[in-house]
Amino acid sequence: MGGFYTSGQFAKKANVSIRTVRYYDKQGLLKPAGMSEGGYRLYTDSDFAKLQKILSLKYLGFSLDEIRSITINDDDNDYVEASLRLQLNLIRKRIEHLKLVEQTLTETSRLVTDNQAVDWNKILHLIHITNMEKSLVEQYKDAANINIRIGLHKKYTKNPLGWFQWLYGLMEPLNGKNILELGCGNGELWLANQKRIPRNAHICLSDVSKGMIRDVEENLKNIPGDFSFEVFDCRQIPKPQDSYDLVIANHVLFYVSNLDAAFSQVEQVLKPGGVFCCSTYGRDHMKEISQLVKEFDSRIALSEVNLYDVFGLDHGEELLKCRFRLVEKKEYDDHLEVSDAGALMEYILSCHGNQQEYLSDRYEEFREFLEKKMEKKGYIHITKQAGAFRCIK
């Protein structure tokens, strides 16, 4: 048939075995584009891009469940470009790591040859460098998950003023100020407001994840502004007292185990009169998503802890008033109308709960469940209850 390949033709052209093609079909990773009248699986040219992504992610160490969650929405028209960007980014990071391993191996080998003795400190260093490979996949996965969650909000938000633009407005003016962002993530706050960033503002972006800092540095390399990037924990900020005019913590504090320590550190590095801008969720935020997964399978929990119980809109003001002389609560008015079951599945699979355990062999069933929920209105309404506190030292 014109424009179609049988399993055998597809496998031969891709230089893989028919068994591999059938295995990925069985796992729900590479479904055929159609079936012939004789019952043969049929594939198209676009399926080669899907296969390439699967093989690339497998090479990088992702499990089948992780690959399934990353590729679950690959029927979107623009997925090929985004897919190739993701693969290229991951491959570049792996190359960087392998170069580091090569350099360390070369140096260690030379020392052993020159000294005719083993330097065990160098060997230990080599072990640490080599073991970094195990954490790289987790770092990639975290960055991908953040992008998925931000992407859903950006695409289906009903407030014309986006979250990051709204948050930026609470911080202005920034002219000439020293600014510190804690838990900067992928740098979306600055990407979304790049035309508003004053050249004379000095902005330090920090995160506890080395992988995240590498990503944000790459994301902002062409954005005008005086940026610096550092890795540290917000409970131990290695900065002098009274050194910042503004400290930002966007959706970060509910992940912190010792909030009092974090508040103390922020208070210390802020100048007198300085501003601490921190955002969080309310109890009803995205509640429909939790209700949906519970309806599908009551065992699913998208988070081990209710983040709003740690630091939320309902009680955050009380916690902050103990540290800052003035605390002002601001709420962001918005909701989502999600019309794509695949995008909603991506979001759900990116959460920190146990959903993979109960959805891994039921993806198609779950997608059909979501599509049925969307039939009446054409979308699923999702509540957003988010906001920020603007605190003055």
Side-chain angles (χ1 to χ4, degrees), residues 148-156 286 336 338 343-344 347:
I148 288 169
R149 290 193 286 272
I150 289 175
L152 187 84
H153 288 274
K154 287 172 68 176
K155 188 171 183 179
Y156 297 104
M286 309 293 276
L336 305 180
V338 181
L344 189 53
Y347 180 94

Side-chain angles (χ1 to χ4, degrees), residues 32 36 40 48 68 106 108 115 163 169 179 233 252-253 295 335 359:
S36 72
Y40 293 102
F48 288 110
R68 191 181 292 107
T106 302
T108 306
N115 299 330
W163 166 259
I179 301 161
D233 191 313
V252 170
L253 295 175
E295 182 180 343
H335 71 276
L359 295 178

Side-chain angles (χ1 to χ4, degrees), residues 200-213:
N200 61 351
H202 309 289
I203 306 164
C204 176
L205 275 66
S206 71
D207 201 286
V208 72
S209 164
K210 292 180 181 179
M212 205 68 76
I213 288 297

Side-chain angles (χ1 to χ4, degrees), residues 23-41:
Y23 176 71
Y24 288 142
D25 178 7
K26 186 178 179 181
Q27 295 298 319
L29 297 173
L30 186 65
K31 289 293 183 184
M35 301 289 287
S36 72
E37 291 182 1
Y40 293 102
R41 295 176 176 85

Side-chain angles (χ1 to χ4, degrees), residues 328-343:
E328 188 177 10
K329 178 181 175 181
K330 302 282 188 178
E331 295 198 36
Y332 177 66
D333 182 24
D334 194 16
H335 71 276
L336 305 180
E337 293 181 1
V338 181
S339 56
D340 184 338

Side-chain angles (χ1 to χ4, degrees), residues 350-372:
S350 75
C351 294
H352 302 296
N354 64 359
Q355 66 278 359
Q356 287 284 4
E357 180 181 350
Y358 298 108
L359 295 178
S360 61
D361 58 350
R362 302 175 69 190
Y363 285 116
E364 290 304 317
E365 182 187 351
F366 186 50
R367 182 194 284 269
E368 290 173 5
F369 168 79
L370 293 177
E371 288 173 346
K372 190 171 182 180

Side-chain angles (χ1 to χ4, degrees), residues 231-242:
V231 178
F232 58 79
D233 191 313
C234 65
R235 294 166 298 184
Q236 293 181 320
I237 303 176
K239 299 295 180 181
Q241 187 171 346
D242 301 340

